[in-house]
């Protein structure tokens, strides 16, 4: 059974960079047709896709965050990571990592991590 | 303001059938498949419907999805108390370089 687990600091200071890692177990991050994505959810609000990466390094980012986001992959560790720079209180959210099936016109997140709350505060 | 539009709330009594709508545009629902996610309180979202109307293994057939033009719907029949959750629609949007867009979510209350 595929499992994803987010890890990283739960508190980040304003203007600093948020860094999270998603560890994948029970399957290979190099699997064909799968991207690996980050989605966030501010407290009491809806879901927002941040971006997704393929094992080759190809990425998609949401336009509103593209200038501040970097998603990278480490196939040797079966992990992928998120960096969000110049954070403000508006970036406070639960951050989820998920497997992103993106092939043949299908596009969905079928496995999700449990999520990690990141608070931006001094 | 979400790209996909959902009603903020819906409700029904046990055993009833409820539907949740999701409205988009030609660049997202109109040209790509729609997915639905269920988020129970305090948990991560779970894929409920993919490719407009397909259920992943383990999802009861009480849940069904449909799409027409630039709109989609999620139907839940035989409503149960454990269905009380937030429901989100999502689709790929072809505008700019492409992105995943979500609806704002619908909170379903079982009365």
């Amino acid at each position: 059974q595929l499992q994803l687990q987010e890890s990283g600091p739960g508190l980040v200071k304003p203007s600093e960079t948020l860094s999270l890692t998603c560890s994948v177990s029970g399957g290979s991050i190099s699997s064909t047709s799968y991207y690996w994505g980050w989605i966030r959810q501010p407290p009491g609000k809806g879901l927002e896709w941040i971006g997704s990466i393929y094992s080759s390094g190809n990425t998609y980012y949401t336009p509103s965050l593209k200038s501040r986001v970097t998603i990278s992959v480490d196939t040797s560790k079966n992990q992928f990571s998120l960096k969000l720079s110049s954070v403000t209180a508006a970036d406070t959210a639960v951050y989820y990592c998920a497997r992103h099936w993106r092939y043949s016109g299908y596009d969905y997140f079928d496995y999700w991590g449990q999520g990690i709350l990141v608070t931006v505060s001094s | 303001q979400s790209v996909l539009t959902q009603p903020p709330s819906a409700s029904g009594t046990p055993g009833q059938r409820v539907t949740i709508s999701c409205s988009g545009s030609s660049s997202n629902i109109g040209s790509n498949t729609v997915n639905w996610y269920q988020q129970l309180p305090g948990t991560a979202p779970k894929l409920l419907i993919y490719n407009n109307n397909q259920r992943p293994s383990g999802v009861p057939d009480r849940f069904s999805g449909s799409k027409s033009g630039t709109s989609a719907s999620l139907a839940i029949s035989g409503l149960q108390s454990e269905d009380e959750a937030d429901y989100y629609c999502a689709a790929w949007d072809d505008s700019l370089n492409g992105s995943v867009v979500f609806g704002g979510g619908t909170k379903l209350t079982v009365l």
Side-chain angles (χ1 to χ4, degrees):
Chain A
Q1 178 77 347
L2 190 76
Q3 291 187 323
L4 295 88
Q5 178 70 58
E6 305 88 352
S7 60
L11 181 64
V12 181
K13 290 182 169 55
S15 80
E16 295 190 343
T17 296
L18 178 160
S19 296
L20 297 175
T21 295
C22 182
S23 299
V24 179
S25 59
S28 173
I29 204 168
S30 300
S31 298
T32 307
S33 303
Y34 290 113
Y35 277 69
W36 302 88
W38 289 96
I39 301 101
R40 70 180 183 178
Q41 184 173 36
K45 297 188 178 181
L47 301 170
E48 179 184 28
W49 175 71
I50 300 170
S52 296
I53 189 167
Y54 194 66
S55 57
S56 64
N58 187 47
T59 53
Y60 291 96
Y61 297 130
T62 191
S64 62
L65 296 174
K66 189 172 183 178
S67 63
R68 298 195 290 130
V69 172
T70 302
I71 297 176
S72 58
V73 64
D74 187 335
T75 55
S76 66
K77 294 183 178 179
N78 227 32
Q79 295 176 337
F80 62 107
S81 299
L82 167 70
K83 290 189 185 298
L84 180 64
S85 64
S86 305
V87 297
T88 69
D91 295 309
T92 294
V94 175
Y95 286 76
Y96 297 101
C97 60
R99 190 174 76 170
H100 184 179
W101 172 266
R102 186 167 158 62
Y103 187 70
S104 293
Y106 297 176
D107 209 304
Y108 53 81
F109 301 100
D110 56 354
Y111 286 90
W112 295 65
Q114 65 184 24
I116 183 170
L117 174 63
V118 179
T119 301
V120 178
S121 175
S122 55
Chain B
Q1 191 79 356
S2 301
V3 174
L4 304 182
T5 300
Q6 297 179 236
S9 63
S11 63
T13 57
Q16 263 191 332
R17 182 179 188 271
V18 298
T19 61
I20 297 171
S21 62
C22 177
S23 178
S25 66
S26 58
S27 64
N28 42 65
I29 294 179
S31 51
N32 295 293
T33 60
V34 178
N35 311 302
W36 291 90
Y37 299 89
Q38 178 193 56
Q39 186 175 32
L40 297 170
T43 69
K46 166 192 166 185
L47 181 65
L48 193 66
I49 297 287
Y50 67 98
N51 190 29
N52 304 325
N53 54 20
Q54 303 298 302
R55 287 185 307 277
S57 174
V59 173
D61 59 7
R62 302 187 296 104
F63 295 91
S64 62
S66 63
K67 181 184 115 169
S68 178
T70 60
S71 294
S73 291
L74 172 70
I76 309 172
S77 60
L79 196 62
Q80 299 180 3
S81 58
E82 55 261 41
D83 298 332
E84 188 160 292
D86 293 324
Y87 292 85
Y88 295 90
C89 60
W92 184 261
D93 192 301
D94 292 327
S95 59
L96 299 177
N97 289 323
S99 60
V100 177
V101 291
F102 284 94
T106 298
K107 182 173 180 58
L108 174 63
T109 300
V110 181
L111 302 170

